[in-house]
Amino acid sequence: MPATPDNPAFGSVEDVAERFAAHGYIADRRLATTVFLQTRLDKPLLLEGPAGVGKTELAKALAAATGRRLLRLQCYEGQDESRALYEWDYGKQLLYTQMLRDKIGDLTADAPDLASAVLRIEEQDSVFFSDRFLAPRPLLDAVRGEQPAVLLIDEVDRADEALEAVLLECLAEYQVSVPEIGTYTAKIPPYVVLTSNNTRDLSAALKRRCLHLFLEYPEAERELEIVRSKDTGLPEAAARHLVDVVRGLRALPLRKSPSISETVDWARTLAVLGVDELDPAVLADTANVVLKYERDLHRALEVLPRLADPNRTLPEPGHHHGHPHHTGHPHADHHHDHGEHGDVDGRAVRAAMDQQGRHDENYYGAPGAGPTHRTTPGAGQGARSFAAIARRRTD
């Protein structure tokens, strides 16, 4: 049953955590406390943090747990207020005008002059500027709707500051003003969740109206619990190992760190491939599930052997060890030649591999430059494909 002032949405902080978990969202106590306060104080909740940490999913879980309908305003650059508040249905107004042409003729038939006829038509303006012709967008729908709602204003940092200013009235008073009609005020205030990926700073006025929470990547145990809750099919030991690997990747200077949802996708991918135990080869073959930029992938391939097995001993000199692949892998052209060194300290080699900035700009290929010696997906994509893994596992 939707919450009312006499029937709060949640009885306690623990109730929030339990009901969120029942809908597949694992909330720690800090997050559950913030949601509990939001529902009791009727204040919007602003969630900031990197992409993929569960900000949007929280709004969905809140709607599911409270039985409210979910309304979503996806923000983007150049968005105007009509896409957020309301629009007039001009096509419908024109159609009605044509249908009522005869009536308008009757209305003005006995008018003594043009001015009188125009005045009589003006008196009918309210017919065409009424609820009948108003097309509500998410903000107005959340305020004037008969059913309680959760209003998700997603990626508000991508919207222009002009739209941010439009939000202030709605967030402070839960009302929307329509000049031609009047002001709509919510009978049951919506639960408002705003999300931001911090692509720009939000105004102090907007933040002042909201409860604020910064969501970071979760601790290992909580992330493992999230993976478990999604029923990925990956064995427990492999899932725990995968979470440790992902956390290791996030420690790298990547352009985009793996998100929680991508961790879940990786777990499902490995489960589909029938993986019971993680090894460097299978991680490298499927790393593109969580790493979406080529340079990020190259950086990860350097350290995946150590993340997969911290105690792993590197091959003897003369063997390819740039990537954790079997002999004959298409990436075999990328290797470290020790030349005259007869003895190599494996730990020293691994430490050298992890040094940032050890390659110049042309190692990965400078923009506009010609072919260089670098590791590219090239033909290796076939060997790293999911189908190739499946074939190798059935041979």
Side-chain angles (χ1 to χ4, degrees):
M1 177 184 297
T4 64
D6 297 327
N7 180 32
F10 302 104
S12 64
V13 173
E14 291 74 16
D15 187 30
V16 174
E18 290 173 5
R19 288 166 62 180
F20 270 41
H23 289 89
Y25 193 96
I26 308 302
D28 59 20
R29 185 168 184 84
R30 183 174 67 111
L31 180 55
T33 300
T34 305
V35 172
F36 177 74
L37 292 175
Q38 176 197 14
T39 60
R40 290 301 180 95
L41 299 177
D42 282 334
K43 289 182 70 70
L45 172 59
L46 172 60
L47 300 173
E48 293 190 280
V53 294
K55 302 186 295 296
T56 301
E57 289 301 315
L58 183 142
K60 296 178 181 179
L62 178 59
T66 57
R68 293 186 170 215
R69 61 193 182 117
L70 178 67
L71 300 174
R72 180 171 180 171
L73 173 63
Q74 182 64 51
C75 299
Y76 54 87
E77 186 177 353
Q79 186 177 29
D80 60 27
E81 62 182 68
S82 66
R83 295 292 180 182
L85 291 171
Y86 63 89
E87 289 183 301
W88 289 107
D89 192 339
Y90 295 114
K92 190 174 182 180
Q93 288 173 327
L94 180 60
L95 177 63
Y96 271 60
T97 300
Q98 294 173 342
M99 293 173 59
L100 299 176
R101 183 179 301 168
D102 294 339
K103 292 295 182 182
I104 293 176
D106 294 342
L107 183 66
T108 59
D110 59 345
D113 51 41
L114 180 61
S116 299
V118 171
L119 182 61
R120 291 185 182 183
I121 294 175
E122 285 180 351
E123 292 173 352
Q124 307 302 316
D125 279 353
S126 59
V127 174
F128 293 95
F129 290 96
S130 63
D131 284 347
R132 183 189 302 274
F133 301 101
L134 195 62
R137 298 307 179 194
L139 293 183
L140 180 58
D141 194 7
V143 167
R144 77 166 191 170
E146 295 295 329
Q147 298 297 320
V150 171
L151 173 62
L152 169 61
I153 304 176
D154 213 8
E155 297 185 328
V156 67
D157 53 318
R158 295 187 180 277
D160 297 333
E161 293 182 4
L163 180 60
E164 191 177 322
V166 170
L167 295 175
L168 298 182
E169 178 188 18
C170 180
L171 299 181
E173 307 295 339
Y174 294 113
Q175 66 182 30
V176 172
S177 296
V178 181
E180 296 87 351
I181 298 178
T183 299
Y184 292 95
T185 302
K187 296 178 181 178
I188 301 178
Y191 295 150
V192 181
V193 177
L194 302 94
T195 74
S196 168
N197 294 336
N198 288 328
T199 59
R200 70 171 177 86
D201 289 335
L202 302 176
S203 70
L206 180 65
K207 289 193 171 185
R208 181 170 56 83
R209 287 163 170 78
C210 303
L211 295 175
H212 181 270
L213 183 65
F214 188 90
L215 287 185
E216 189 50 270
Y217 295 112
E219 297 296 326
E221 284 301 320
R222 180 165 167 252
E223 187 160 10
L224 178 60
E225 190 176 356
I226 293 171
V227 173
R228 287 196 200 106
S229 71
K230 300 302 181 181
D231 296 325
T232 63
L234 195 65
E236 172 73 12
R240 184 178 294 276
H241 192 179
L242 182 65
V243 168
D244 291 337
V245 170
V246 170
R247 292 174 64 80
L249 291 177
R250 289 179 186 145
L252 299 176
L254 302 177
R255 180 176 176 183
K256 179 191 174 300
S257 295
S259 67
I260 300 174
S261 61
E262 287 169 332
T263 303
V264 174
D265 289 341
W266 205 359
R268 285 175 173 153
T269 298
L270 295 171
V272 167
L273 295 173
V275 174
D276 294 324
E277 183 176 345
L278 304 190
D279 58 64
V282 74
L283 290 176
D285 288 336
T286 56
N288 57 306
V289 173
V290 296
L291 299 169
K292 307 303 172 63
Y293 294 94
E294 184 180 5
R295 183 167 296 189
D296 287 355
L297 182 60
H298 289 310
R299 285 174 176 166
L301 292 177
E302 296 285 351
V303 301
L304 274 176
R306 175 171 56 82
L307 294 176
D309 183 4
N311 300 318
R312 180 173 180 263
T313 302
L314 293 180
E316 292 299 323
H319 292 274
H320 300 294
H321 57 272
H323 299 296
H325 300 291
H326 55 78
T327 303
H329 191 280
H331 281 288
D333 65 320
H334 176 56
H335 64 279
H336 302 282
D337 187 359
H338 297 292
E340 299 178 357
H341 296 284
D343 248 352
V344 178
D345 184 345
R347 290 173 298 178
V349 172
R350 287 195 296 272
M353 290 173 63
D354 293 343
Q355 289 297 319
Q356 297 181 25
R358 64 191 182 91
H359 299 303
D360 61 22
E361 184 181 26
N362 289 330
Y363 180 79
Y364 295 116
T372 59
H373 175 69
R374 64 189 180 99
T375 304
T376 64
Q381 289 177 340
R384 289 204 307 270
S385 68
F386 301 152
I389 301 172
R391 286 197 299 271
R392 291 205 298 271
R393 291 187 171 275
T394 55
D395 289 344

